[in-house]
Amino acid sequence: MKIIVCVERGADPEAPPASFKVDAGGNRVVLAADVPVVLDPYSEYALEAALKLKDAHGGQVIALSLGTDLPREVIKKALAMGADELVLLEDEAFADGDSWSTAYALAMAIKKTGDYDLILCGRQAADWGEGQVGLGIAEVLSLPGVTVARKIDVADGKAQVERVTGDGYEVIETPLPAVVTVSNEIGEPRYPTIRGIMAAKRKEPVIWKPADIGVQPSEVGAAGRRSRLVKLFQPVHKANCQIIHGETPEEAGANLAERLRLEKLI
Amino acid sequence: MSQNQGVMIFGEVVNGQLQAITKELLGCGRKLASELQEELSAVLLGSNLAGSAREAITFGADRVYIVDAPLLKDYQADAYMPVMERLVKQTAPRILLLGQTSIGQDLAPRLAFRLGTEATTDCIELSIDPESGLLERTKPVYGGNVMAVITGEHFPEVATVRSKAYSPLEADVSKRGEVINIEAEVEPPAMRTRIIEKVSQVAEGIRLEEAATVVAGGRGIGSNQDFKQLEELARLLKGAIGASRPPCDNGWIGDTAQIGLTGKIIAPDFYLAVALSGSSQHISGVSGAKNIVAINKDPEANIFRVARFGVVGDWKKVLPAFTARVRELAGEN
Ligand SMILES: Cc1cc2nc3c(=O)[nH]c(=O)nc-3n(C[C@H](O)[C@H](O)[C@H](O)COP(=O)(O)OP(=O)(O)OC[C@H]3O[C@@H](n4cnc5c(N)ncnc54)[C@H](O)[C@@H]3O)c2cc1C
Ligand SMILES: Nc1ncnc2c1ncn2[C@@H]1O[C@H](COP(=O)(O)O)[C@@H](O)[C@H]1O
């Protein structure tokens, strides 16, 4: 079985809210200097889903990432966790894409990898949170797609996917190849082992340019966008929390109840 | 400018009930349609839709398309896609709105890609730019730490709208509108995927989305056993129980209790947040709450930036005393 996992990197979404600022022109997000770049959390869940399937059925896992200046120490975590190959679409032409141009380039790269059984993506990226790239790849490649998976089983050329819904989940059967987007319910991503980290150090990623995947620079990245960013701005929070005190924590708790009673909240 | 005209919303009906998000979409769609001086239509797919179609009119639709077929009873992308693709091509709306729901998230991006347009998901505000006439879509990005305003020049302009971002209009029973039946024309061979089973895991009691009071716990609660204290308090306050993501991931409470960007979006009158830090992703789910009250041992926790009242302390000491006093106060009535 051959599984392709799309992995993105980005600013650590757990960084304090004050670390995310907008530049004066409202064009770019400016991150505080101490915010680390990490693998996008849902990309890690997708990778974990792929590795679980590899554990059970064997096969090959290819991690695929698109961007510019992809930091090796971050992106190679995919190899350290257990992916067999790392393919990077790394070129200025791929920069600043939207869901459409990103999905298109990834789909064309996946086509180039030849036969595949399953394509996995995260349910939504931490930065723009669009939740569109996986479905976009499915549409470009005319494949069935199942979103927000909490469990994936594969047998006889089919996958059974448990899809998270608002009130539980549904089990969906899809023929392969298919695209599946993965949610955190799949289980915590594994930590890289020392052996994995050593192997990742030695392994060099394969790098593809637009011409390698048969696309024009004008079709990808910023040039291939269909949507336009008008502006970015910072939401305002009015911070006026009133702290309720007490001689002891217990008294503070009781005082809180009294106060909420006055406010008619309880 | 395009030939496309009018605003269309994709409605959701569950067990014959027009869903809250659909009424909200109609409210939002009506506002946009009025600005454009164009029509507002709604599409309903499924079965047993006549009553809901009528209701959609009272909430603002000028026209409702209903597609009633056994194959459309449950949402399935492979069944809904061809119907929606054909209907949107035939009716050529300028704007197409869906809810940022389990269905909308699954359907909107595919439909946009299939139709050669683009979608913006999880919008909290939509307006028409007076100069260009284009739909301006405001959505939270970076977990809600930054807002982005996005447009596109492809039609229809597709957006999904977050729950509770818009209020429904007052129902107007005298409002007139047209209901049009459309044939489904989906052939079973088009169906690649198949639903094998649907599993409901909703907890008994008051539904989280509708509760006026919600008691929620975070990672700091520490265990399954400790979570029961919150459940007891929720019962006492006649509220619902919720959680940030870690308690769900750890199995202390069911996944359907998760509140936030990738969980439920709620807007209770009173939200009690216990031992959760208030990450931007979590706060995304409660930004409509009227009164947030926090108990957290860390005075720097982000939750205090959005709370109205708070206690800084160990919840294991603060909460039992709080609950006891709440019980006494309730008894005094
Ligand atoms: C794309 C994306 C989507 C996400 N979607 C969601 C979502 O929908 N919902 C969600 O909740 N998260 C979501 N997350 C995860 C989110 O980023 C945070 O990791 C999560 O919300 C943290 O949960 P928490 O506040 O319970 O845990 P923590 O951040 O670990 O906070 C625990 C808090 O408990 C306090 N505490 C500990 N012990 C005690 C004690 N004894 N007494 C009092 N206080 C105590 C601590 O001071 C701390 O503030 C998402 C993340 C990403 C990247
Ligand atoms: N630049 C990228 N490179 C590789 N995968 C990506 C990229 N952007 C998005 N993805 C994949 O698509 C998922 C959803 O992203 P999005 O649609 O942007 O929310 C991510 O979790 C990744 O799996």
Side-chain angles (χ1 to χ4, degrees):
Chain A
M1 190 155 87
K2 184 157 135 193
I3 306 173
I4 299 181
V5 189
C6 298
V7 293
E8 196 181 4
R9 50 74 172 100
D12 183 357
E14 307 269 345
S19 333
F20 300 83
K21 295 271 189 286
V22 173
D23 72 352
N27 298 315
R28 288 210 171 259
V29 173
V30 185
L31 300 168
D34 58 356
V35 178
V37 170
V38 296
L39 276 192
D40 176 58
Y42 280 109
S43 295
E44 278 197 23
Y45 287 111
L47 199 50
E48 175 59 28
L51 295 170
K52 279 193 166 84
L53 287 170
K54 186 182 153 181
D55 291 343
H57 305 282
Q60 189 191 20
V61 173
I62 302 179
L64 176 62
S65 190
L66 171 150
T68 46
D69 302 323
L70 296 167
R72 296 299 188 264
E73 70 284 4
V74 175
I75 213 83
K76 275 190 165 187
K77 186 175 178 193
L79 292 170
M81 280 172 68
D84 301 285
E85 298 290 337
L86 177 62
V87 177
L88 305 181
L89 300 181
E90 196 176 41
D91 192 273
E92 277 307 316
F94 293 123
D96 295 326
D98 64 358
S99 305
W100 160 250
S101 59
T102 301
Y104 179 68
L106 290 170
M108 296 307 279
I110 290 166
K111 228 181 199 172
K112 183 177 157 135
T113 64
D115 289 339
Y116 46 80
D117 301 290
L118 193 58
I119 300 164
L120 299 180
C121 286
R123 67 177 284 178
Q124 67 190 69
D127 50 7
W128 286 78
E130 283 284 356
Q132 299 208 52
V133 165
L135 291 170
I137 293 170
E139 280 297 313
V140 175
L141 298 176
S142 296
L143 295 176
V146 183
T147 52
V148 214
R150 70 200 282 278
K151 187 158 184 270
I152 308 172
D153 284 327
V154 171
D156 308 326
K158 286 186 204 140
Q160 277 204 3
V161 182
E162 292 183 6
R163 172 176 186 265
V164 178
T165 60
D167 61 4
Y169 64 93
E170 56 194 15
V171 186
I172 297 181
E173 185 179 82
T174 175
L176 297 178
V179 177
V180 177
T181 76
V182 178
S183 191
N184 51 288
E185 288 85 350
I186 205 89
E188 278 301 301
R190 63 196 62 193
Y191 287 105
T193 58
I194 300 288
R195 233 178 92 210
I197 294 168
M198 297 309 290
K201 275 219 173 80
R202 285 191 302 271
K203 186 136 198 143
E204 281 315 309
V206 176
I207 296 169
W208 286 343
K209 301 283 175 189
D212 296 317
I213 56 169
V215 301
Q216 298 296 323
S218 62
E219 294 174 296
V220 297
R225 286 180 74 102
R226 284 188 179 165
S227 60
R228 190 171 75 81
L229 177 63
V230 178
K231 64 168 181 204
L232 294 168
F233 65 94
Q234 204 101 46
V236 271
H237 291 290
K238 18 182 196 345
N240 50 0
C241 180
Q242 195 178 331
I243 299 294
I244 309 292
H245 299 278
E247 290 293 316
T248 60
E250 288 81 1
E251 194 183 303
N255 289 345
L256 179 66
E258 302 275 353
R259 184 56 197 266
L260 297 185
R261 179 62 162 209
L262 278 180
E263 299 285 336
K264 299 197 166 56
L265 290 179
I266 56 173
Chain B
M1 203 61 201
S2 87
Q3 300 299 307
N4 297 47
Q5 283 269 328
V7 179
M8 176 179 270
I9 68 118
F10 172 86
E12 295 183 31
V13 177
V14 176
N15 298 330
Q17 296 291 312
L18 196 67
Q19 297 295 286
I21 180 70
T22 304
K23 296 174 188 169
E24 294 162 19
L25 286 176
L26 285 165
C28 171
R30 187 73 257 169
K31 179 193 83 133
L32 298 172
S34 303
E35 276 176 50
L36 291 163
Q37 300 191 323
E38 291 178 8
E39 264 196 0
L40 174 63
S41 62
V43 194
L44 304 177
L45 273 57
S47 57
N48 183 17
L49 299 167
S52 298
R54 184 61 226 148
E55 202 182 358
I57 292 170
T58 67
F59 280 102
D62 299 312
R63 181 181 306 206
V64 183
Y65 297 96
I66 59 182
V67 195
D68 199 321
L71 206 57
L72 302 175
K73 189 179 153 289
D74 292 310
Y75 170 75
Q76 291 194 78
D78 280 0
Y80 276 47
M81 275 290 285
V83 176
M84 286 302 292
E85 184 184 358
R86 192 164 48 89
L87 189 66
V88 172
K89 280 184 177 156
Q90 273 169 12
T91 55
R94 177 200 296 269
I95 294 172
L96 174 64
L97 305 180
L98 302 89
Q100 174 73 2
T101 59
S102 175
I103 297 176
Q105 287 176 50
D106 195 80
L107 184 59
R110 302 180 201 252
L111 201 52
F113 277 97
R114 185 79 60 92
L115 293 166
T117 180
E118 104 293 337
T120 307
T121 56
D122 203 18
C123 300
I124 57 165
E125 198 185 325
L126 296 168
S127 59
I128 307 294
D129 174 33
E131 264 163 50
S132 62
L134 294 173
L135 180 68
E136 285 200 336
R137 314 140 196 199
T138 304
K139 70 166 288 178
V141 295
Y142 290 87
N145 290 317
V146 174
M147 295 289 161
V149 182
I150 295 164
T151 57
E153 288 174 17
H154 297 81
F155 295 89
E157 302 173 280
V158 182
T160 69
V161 181
R162 187 179 280 191
S163 284
K164 304 198 163 69
Y166 280 88
S167 305
L169 299 171
E170 211 52 67
D172 172 3
V173 288
S174 68
K175 185 168 184 311
R176 289 175 175 278
E178 188 183 5
V179 177
I180 300 171
N181 277 284
I182 305 273
E183 288 298 318
E185 289 176 39
V186 188
E187 298 298 330
M191 302 289 299
R192 298 167 293 187
T193 59
R194 187 164 72 92
I195 299 181
I196 293 181
E197 192 188 357
K198 283 172 101 69
V199 181
S200 174
Q201 298 177 311
V202 231
E204 287 170 37
I206 305 168
R207 278 174 66 86
L208 191 50
E209 299 94 314
E210 284 143 27
T213 295
V214 173
V215 177
R219 197 196 310 267
I221 297 297
S223 78
N224 185 12
Q225 207 44 44
D226 288 315
F227 232 88
K228 300 236 182 312
Q229 284 195 49
L230 299 187
E231 284 165 26
E232 183 198 332
L233 177 59
R235 258 197 309 279
L236 187 60
L237 296 170
K238 299 193 174 54
I241 183 98
S244 60
R245 198 173 79 187
C248 303
D249 283 348
N250 293 333
W252 302 338
I253 187 165
D255 289 328
T256 54
Q258 185 184 320
I259 294 162
L261 185 63
T262 49
K264 300 243 153 52
I265 306 287
I266 60 170
D269 293 332
F270 171 33
Y271 185 67
L272 181 64
V274 187
L276 60 81
S277 64
S279 68
S280 51
Q281 294 87 0
H282 180 77
I283 296 303
S284 298
V286 288
S287 56
K290 291 200 188 66
N291 299 281
I292 297 178
V293 178
I295 299 174
N296 195 304
K297 67 177 181 189
D298 173 11
E300 299 298 318
N302 194 54
I303 189 72
F304 291 121
R305 296 209 317 163
V306 294
R308 197 169 154 221
F309 298 106
V311 170
V312 179
D314 182 350
W315 79 270
K316 288 190 178 178
K317 297 199 174 104
V318 177
L319 198 80
F322 174 78
T323 304
R325 195 74 191 105
V326 168
R327 191 173 278 120
E328 282 167 26
L329 290 167
E332 281 167 17
N333 274 348

